[in-house]
Amino acid sequence: MPRPTIFTDEMTSRICSRIANGESLHYICADRDMPSRTTVLLWLRSGEHPEFLNQYLAAKDAKADYLADQVLEIADNCEGAELTTEIQAAKLRIGARQWYAKVTAPKKYSERLAVDQRTEYRPSEEMTPEQARAILIEHGIDPDKL
């Protein structure tokens, strides 16, 4: 049976649902009843299906939440683990999920602080030329040389 190549809302809903539940696009598109990864990426990049792009981005955000939730489950399941290999495997799984969440939803999961560098000039009150001159002189600046 050939892979689907025609865009349908049903197909894209299935893709996005699976992404939101933690699956990768690569894994989803490996199924014979799904379009190829190239086809899906063309649908996303073409600009012809903005509703699919929005749905896809929301699904990726939901996937980050899903994987972040899994971090706690994995950690809780390590309770009582005695083998170092089990603990190391759990750490690897946790690290991968944390990385993915940070990369795909940095506003939610990144450890970096967002810095707003915008500045706005707001004079507190109007200054007379005499006041400005007095302040400059007070700070050792000759206003006549400016």
Side-chain angles (χ1 to χ4, degrees):
M1 177 171 116
R3 289 179 172 272
T5 57
I6 297 179
F7 180 90
T8 66
D9 289 338
E10 178 193 348
M11 180 63 68
T12 57
S13 290
R14 286 176 50 205
I15 291 168
C16 290
S17 176
R18 289 178 65 179
I19 288 171
N21 286 307
E23 291 184 62
S24 70
L25 184 60
H26 175 80
Y27 186 77
I28 293 166
C29 293
D31 288 355
R32 295 299 305 159
D33 64 332
M34 288 293 189
S36 71
R37 186 172 184 273
T38 303
T39 298
V40 174
L41 293 176
L42 285 172
W43 292 343
L44 288 167
R45 294 179 182 153
S46 71
E48 295 176 21
H49 311 289
E51 69 288 344
F52 175 45
L53 179 59
N54 291 333
Q55 187 182 12
Y56 178 81
L57 293 174
K60 297 283 276 186
D61 191 52
K63 179 180 179 178
D65 292 341
Y66 175 84
L67 293 175
D69 289 343
Q70 279 190 335
V71 166
L72 297 175
E73 291 175 23
I74 294 166
D76 288 344
N77 289 335
C78 281
E79 195 172 317
E82 295 177 17
L83 296 175
T84 305
T85 54
E86 290 174 350
I87 294 170
Q88 290 302 322
K91 284 182 179 180
L92 179 63
R93 292 178 68 213
I94 288 170
R97 283 157 177 77
Q98 287 175 328
W99 173 85
Y100 185 87
K102 287 177 191 177
V103 169
T104 58
K107 288 182 182 178
K108 272 189 206 176
Y109 296 110
S110 179
E111 295 170 4
R112 295 181 184 167
L113 296 176
V115 177
D116 186 356
Q117 295 182 340
R118 292 176 288 172
T119 58
E120 184 178 322
Y121 173 71
R122 290 179 284 170
S124 56
E125 58 184 68
E126 292 296 320
M127 187 180 297
T128 66
E130 291 79 22
Q131 289 172 321
R133 184 176 183 79
I135 290 172
L136 289 170
I137 291 169
E138 184 181 320
H139 286 88
I141 300 170
D142 184 355
D144 295 327
K145 293 186 177 179
L146 293 178

